[in-house]
Amino acid sequence: MSADPALHALSAVELLAAYRSRQLSPVEVTRAVLAHIERWEPQLQALYAFDPERALQQARASEARWLRGEALALDGVPLTLKENIATQGTPMPLGTAASDLIPATEDAPPAARLREAGAVLLAKTTMPDYGMLSSGLSSFHPLSRNPWDLRKNPGGSSAGAAAAAAAGYGPLHVGTDIGGSLRLPAGWCGIFSLKPSGGRIPIKPAYAGRVAGPMTRTVADAALMMAELSRPDWRDPTSLPTQALDWRAPPLALKGLKLGLMLDAGWGMAVEPQTAAAVLDAARRFEQAGAEVQPMAGFSTRAMVEGLDKFWRMRSWLDFRKLPAARQDKVLPYIRAWVETAAHLRADELFEGYSQMAAFREAAVAACQPFDYVLSPVSPVAAFAAEWASPLNDPAQPFEHIAFTLPFNMSEQPAASINCAYTDTGLPIGLQIVGRRFDDLGVMQLSAAFERLRAPQRAWPEPA
């Protein structure tokens, strides 16, 4: 058995090969990852329901399967799940101190698929109140931080998952996304994530725009997860029919591909110069490899997002007002200030707001139709202060930073975040790669191609 001190940094692909050749064991790797977490976690605060002994029990069971020749698809590979993905027996606080801590009665579909594949669940990961922030700020969890710079935010709402992936808490992590909650923290933490097409990964509860997706350091590890996460589950009535997709297919050939380049979303915060330069450099690399890149105008409007904002505020207000006053007082003040503005909205305003989901979808599909894929920034800005709820930290302007990500939740198109560069201060910059609806595999393959094209990556952050 190897005594490599960096076992926590091995990819899932590498771990499975090492298990298969008996060079490593799941117990050895799990112990190494747990020891690494113990060094990092006091600074990052990325985890919830962390149970080392339970993880070691799973690792021992996995090791026994490998020895019997009965290994499963992801047997013994360390995993975390965002805390709003139910796991049987664990309460699901949804990031807020206002929640009742009632143990979940069953695994949600993503948890069930990865458990069936033999992955070792280390812990759940943190999120902000109700998942309604692009931040690690929560009234329930300690403040989660970005491992690249502890003064900065990991983003959200898949805050802990992104921080854990960047920090090397094992190779496999799962988050969720309704407006950018996979891609934004992935971009700010320098990792890879795929927001799949709506219905590609069964999820519960399912509602408009919501998806689960992989968060990993490499595209290949995300491909391993997609093969399991995309398996059917009847509990999601919106899920897609099963397709026999080769998630580990080679990178796309770039010659002749037509790529759109969107640097202005049509509304929202201005793109910082360093971010724009990084995305332009990524586009040039695609061009040099044979792709055709053409400018693409922003297609969504402020009217669309303002309408959707009203609808989302009302949905959250209806949940908030059902809480007893004592529990309302526990909700993060930023969230409370945002939802309370919905109290006096009219029915016509809500209907018009709801209709903006269709407006986003129609505009996105039409804008993307001339291209095979679309490139854009993930976020207009780099990671912001750890203590802030959003890049502007203003509940009156909660969505100015999601203009590039939100439309593709509404259109249900697959969209990935992959690191493309770093700021002058060493913070990651995410490139978004968007495909036509249901072309999740193509987005993964184009992301894998970019992994080979991009400049050498910096070493992953380590605990002080």
Side-chain angles (χ1 to χ4, degrees):
M1 297 290 183
S2 168
D4 184 350
L7 297 184
H8 66 270
L10 294 178
S11 70
V13 172
E14 292 169 327
L15 288 177
L16 290 170
Y19 294 160
R20 199 171 294 116
S21 64
R22 305 287 177 89
Q23 292 181 305
L24 292 173
S25 78
V27 172
E28 178 184 13
V29 168
T30 300
R31 284 179 175 149
V33 174
L34 292 173
H36 182 69
I37 289 171
E38 293 292 347
R39 293 191 293 272
W40 248 133
E41 184 60 8
Q43 301 169 69
L44 294 186
Q45 300 292 338
L47 301 184
Y48 163 68
F50 180 42
D51 190 338
E53 186 50 45
R54 182 181 58 188
L56 285 169
Q57 290 173 0
Q58 295 173 60
R60 294 183 191 106
S62 172
E63 188 168 291
R65 288 192 292 272
W66 279 103
L67 292 172
R68 293 196 305 268
E70 299 174 355
L72 304 167
L74 297 175
D75 226 326
V77 181
L79 164 75
T80 74
L81 295 168
K82 189 175 178 181
E83 62 107 315
N84 66 344
I85 298 171
T87 51
Q88 186 176 29
T90 302
M92 197 164 58
L94 302 178
T96 179
S99 291
D100 280 335
L101 296 180
I102 301 172
T105 58
E106 63 179 2
D107 285 347
R113 297 295 84 76
L114 295 174
R115 199 186 298 273
E116 292 162 2
V120 173
L121 179 60
L122 303 172
K124 310 295 284 291
T125 50
T126 61
M127 60 183 282
D129 289 51
Y130 301 112
M132 292 306 296
L133 297 178
S134 300
S135 171
L137 187 63
S138 164
S139 63
F140 179 84
H141 301 294
L143 179 63
S144 299
R145 296 179 181 272
N146 192 317
W148 291 94
D149 183 340
L150 296 175
R151 298 168 298 178
K152 300 297 183 181
N153 212 293
S157 63
S158 303
Y169 288 18
L172 303 183
H173 309 270
V174 181
T176 62
D177 192 317
I178 191 174
S181 288
L182 285 163
R183 289 155 291 159
L184 289 163
W188 287 323
C189 289
I191 64 168
F192 176 78
S193 184
L194 174 71
K195 182 209 75 68
S197 297
R200 176 68 69 198
I201 294 175
I203 193 169
K204 182 181 180 183
Y207 49 80
R210 185 177 190 237
V211 297
M215 304 183 79
T216 59
R217 288 181 169 185
T218 68
V219 177
D221 277 2
L224 285 177
M225 295 180 80
M226 286 301 297
E228 306 308 316
L229 290 169
S230 61
R231 294 184 186 277
D233 195 306
W234 67 267
R235 293 175 294 169
D236 181 354
T238 70
S239 58
L240 299 176
T242 304
Q243 286 183 275
L245 297 175
D246 181 7
W247 291 104
R248 299 189 69 182
L252 277 182
L254 299 178
K255 188 173 179 59
L257 278 185
K258 192 171 183 179
L259 307 180
L261 175 61
M262 182 172 63
L263 290 172
D264 183 341
W267 59 276
M269 299 173 70
V271 178
E272 287 182 337
Q274 289 187 68
T275 296
V279 174
L280 280 168
D281 178 72
R284 282 192 290 267
R285 291 171 186 268
F286 278 116
E287 279 188 316
Q288 291 165 0
E292 177 186 350
V293 179
Q294 294 184 2
M296 173 176 156
F299 56 83
S300 58
T301 67
R302 184 159 297 282
M304 291 178 190
V305 72
E306 287 179 351
L308 188 60
D309 183 15
K310 292 175 183 176
F311 174 72
W312 276 354
R313 286 181 195 235
M314 178 56 76
R315 187 181 64 184
S316 296
W317 167 247
L318 293 176
D319 291 335
F320 176 81
R321 74 176 188 177
K322 293 175 186 176
L323 297 174
R327 287 171 60 191
Q328 288 181 355
D329 290 341
K330 295 180 180 180
V331 174
L332 198 69
Y334 182 103
I335 295 292
R336 183 168 182 164
W338 176 66
V339 302
E340 286 178 338
T341 59
H344 304 294
L345 289 174
R346 303 186 312 270
D348 62 315
E349 293 179 288
L350 293 177
F351 181 82
E352 289 172 4
Y354 174 79
S355 70
Q356 296 312 305
M357 286 192 282
F360 268 117
R361 179 195 294 266
E362 291 173 7
V365 170
C368 295
Q369 185 60 30
F371 306 104
D372 295 307
Y373 300 93
V374 169
L375 310 176
S376 82
V378 172
S379 164
V381 298
F384 52 98
E387 297 79 10
W388 283 17
S390 70
L392 293 177
N393 203 33
D394 180 0
Q397 302 181 84
F399 300 138
E400 297 302 296
H401 59 289
I402 65 173
F404 290 102
T405 55
L406 172 63
F408 302 111
N409 291 81
M410 300 300 99
S411 68
E412 299 189 337
Q413 292 171 251
S417 174
I418 186 167
N419 194 58
C420 65
Y422 304 87
T423 67
D424 291 344
T425 57
L427 295 173
I429 299 173
L431 170 72
Q432 182 172 231
I433 298 176
V434 183
R436 294 177 181 171
R437 195 175 179 206
F438 308 133
D439 190 19
D440 305 68
L441 179 57
V443 170
M444 295 281 286
Q445 291 176 287
L446 189 58
S447 299
F450 183 67
E451 270 187 327
R452 299 181 178 186
L453 294 176
R454 65 185 177 180
Q457 298 295 283
R458 299 189 180 189
W460 292 102
E462 292 287 337

